[in-house]
């Protein structure tokens, strides 16, 4: 077994300490004594990684675990173990799945970002490993992170961020929908959202839809927006674009 480099070992330890703190919060007591059952695949992957490292013990059946090592003892525990490249990969994958995919305390985009304090130590090590690179006072994910991002279903096979692709599609659909409204109505809706908020904006739309289509004249009775092929995500995307100065 090829030994890990010092940066790999430190990255594994920091990832394991994080997982030992966070994964139990996504588990619930099972029917088997003091053992725990993961509530979602992200926590199951984390629990598997911890079990691989001896931090969790496997329970009386598959998918059930018990805490064997508390977070404050993880570093000392791992110092006594022979750790492999497979251990490193499992810990890093589970950490990324949770931090970027579930908790979203790290971004999944290719854009640069400020490394949060929560991940400052492991982020420094990831820069030494080449998964992060400096960009002024910020950092960005490198292509070396792609296999982990793809395994977490955060990037596609071309290394493009899936959430950015989906967001662009949502924005295009929302813009297309509101392009079908009278220009004056859209301007009035934008003012309503800015001055009064989203709920008032939604009410505004209801009172400008009739069975004959959109009208710039406010109606006494609200219309049924489902007849206008309206979707709530169109409106929430529209609000976000306005607040970002892009709508």
């Amino acid at each position: 077994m090829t030994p890990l480099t010092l940066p790999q070992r430190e990255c594994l330890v920091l990832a394991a300490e994080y997982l030992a703190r966070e994964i139990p919060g996504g588990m619930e007591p099972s029917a088997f004594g003091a053992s725990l059952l993961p509530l979602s695949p992200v926590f199951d992957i984390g629990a598997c990684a911890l079990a691989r490292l001896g931090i969790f013990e496997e329970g009386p059946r598959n998918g059930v675990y018990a805490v064997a090592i508390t977070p404050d003892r993880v570093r000392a525990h791992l110092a006594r173990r022979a750790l492999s490249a497979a251990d490193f990969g499992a810990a890093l994958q589970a950490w990324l799945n949770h931090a970027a995919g579930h908790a979203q305390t790290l971004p999944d985009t290719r854009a640069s970002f400020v490394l949060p304090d929560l991940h400052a130590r492991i982020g420094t090590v990831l820069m030494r490993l080449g998964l992060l690179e400096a960009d002024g006072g910020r950092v960005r994910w490198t292509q070396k992170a792609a296999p982990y991002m793809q395994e977490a279903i955060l990037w596609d096979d071309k290394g493009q961020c899936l959430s950015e692709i989906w967001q662009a599609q949502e924005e295009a659909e929302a813009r297309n929908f509101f392009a079908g409204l009278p220009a004056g109505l859209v301007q009035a809706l934008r003012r309503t959202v800015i001055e009064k908020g989203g709920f008032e904006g939604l009410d505004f739309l209801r009172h400008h839809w009739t069975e004959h289509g959109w009208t710039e004249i406010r109606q006494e009775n609200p219309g049924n927006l489902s007849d206008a092929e309206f979707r709530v995500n169109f409106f929430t995307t529209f609000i976000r674009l306005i607040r970002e100065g892009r709508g």
Side-chain angles (χ1 to χ4, degrees), residues 2 7-9 22 35-36 40 55 61 64 79 94 102 108 126-127 131 140 148 164 242 247:
T2 303
Q8 285 176 322
R9 192 174 186 96
E22 300 295 333
S35 57
L36 299 170
S40 74
I55 298 167
R61 69 172 178 84
V64 175
H102 175 77
D108 59 357
L126 289 173
M127 291 180 68
L131 278 80
R140 68 171 71 244
Y148 300 99
E164 290 181 326
I242 291 174

Side-chain angles (χ1 to χ4, degrees), residues 144-162:
K144 199 170 181 179
Y148 300 99
M149 289 292 194
Q150 290 162 349
E151 182 66 23
I153 318 179
L154 297 174
W155 291 2
D156 66 11
D157 57 2
K158 297 178 182 178
Q160 297 175 304
C161 174
L162 289 171

Side-chain angles (χ1 to χ4, degrees), residues 17-243:
E17 288 178 329
Y18 172 89
L19 294 169
R21 292 191 304 269
E22 300 295 333
I23 294 303
M27 305 176 77
E28 64 180 5
S30 74
F32 301 93
S35 57
L36 299 170
L37 185 68
L39 295 176
S40 74
V42 167
F43 289 92
D44 190 30
I45 290 169
C48 286
L50 291 172
R52 179 187 187 99
L53 298 171
I55 298 167
F56 275 10
E57 293 177 346
E58 295 188 6
R61 69 172 178 84
N62 289 340
V64 175
Y65 304 90
V67 175
I69 304 294
T70 56
D72 59 305
R73 296 171 50 215
V74 165
R75 183 172 291 271
H77 166 74
L78 293 178
R80 298 189 293 269
R81 290 178 69 92
L83 300 171
S84 68
D87 294 331
F88 167 77
L92 180 56
Q93 186 67 64
W95 170 80
L96 187 66
N97 284 12
H98 187 278
H102 175 77
Q104 298 183 345
T105 49
L106 284 172
D108 59 357
T109 69
R110 300 300 296 257
S112 62
F113 60 95
V114 175
L115 196 61
D117 291 342
L118 175 63
H119 302 295
R121 292 176 64 194
I122 194 169
T124 300
V125 181
L126 289 173
M127 291 180 68
R128 294 177 63 189
L129 292 170
L131 278 80
L132 285 174
E133 63 182 5
D135 182 17
R138 304 163 72 88
V139 297
R140 68 171 71 244
W141 295 109
T142 69
Q143 190 58 29
K144 199 170 181 179
Y148 300 99
M149 289 292 194
Q150 290 162 349
E151 182 66 23
I153 318 179
L154 297 174
W155 291 2
D156 66 11
D157 57 2
K158 297 178 182 178
Q160 297 175 304
C161 174
L162 289 171
S163 65
E164 290 181 326
I165 294 172
W166 296 331
Q167 180 174 302
Q169 291 173 341
E170 283 188 344
E171 290 179 5
E173 291 174 354
R175 290 184 187 279
N176 183 62
F177 174 81
F178 285 100
L181 276 64
L185 189 62
V186 175
Q187 292 174 2
L189 172 62
R190 186 179 293 109
R191 286 196 303 271
T192 300
V193 169
I194 292 172
E195 295 171 4
K196 299 181 180 180
F199 286 112
E200 288 295 329
L202 189 58
D203 186 65
F204 175 93
L205 282 178
R206 290 194 181 102
H207 283 86
H208 287 270
W209 171 257
T210 74
E211 61 182 1
H212 303 294
W214 295 105
T215 175
E216 295 189 47
I217 301 173
R218 182 179 174 85
Q219 305 297 297
E220 181 178 351
N221 297 317
N224 184 357
L225 291 179
S226 62
D227 294 337
E229 298 184 356
F230 173 85
R231 296 212 308 261
V232 172
N233 68 298
F234 291 164
F235 187 64
T236 55
T237 299
F238 181 74
I239 292 176
R240 177 173 56 78
L241 291 172
I242 291 174
R243 290 173 176 169

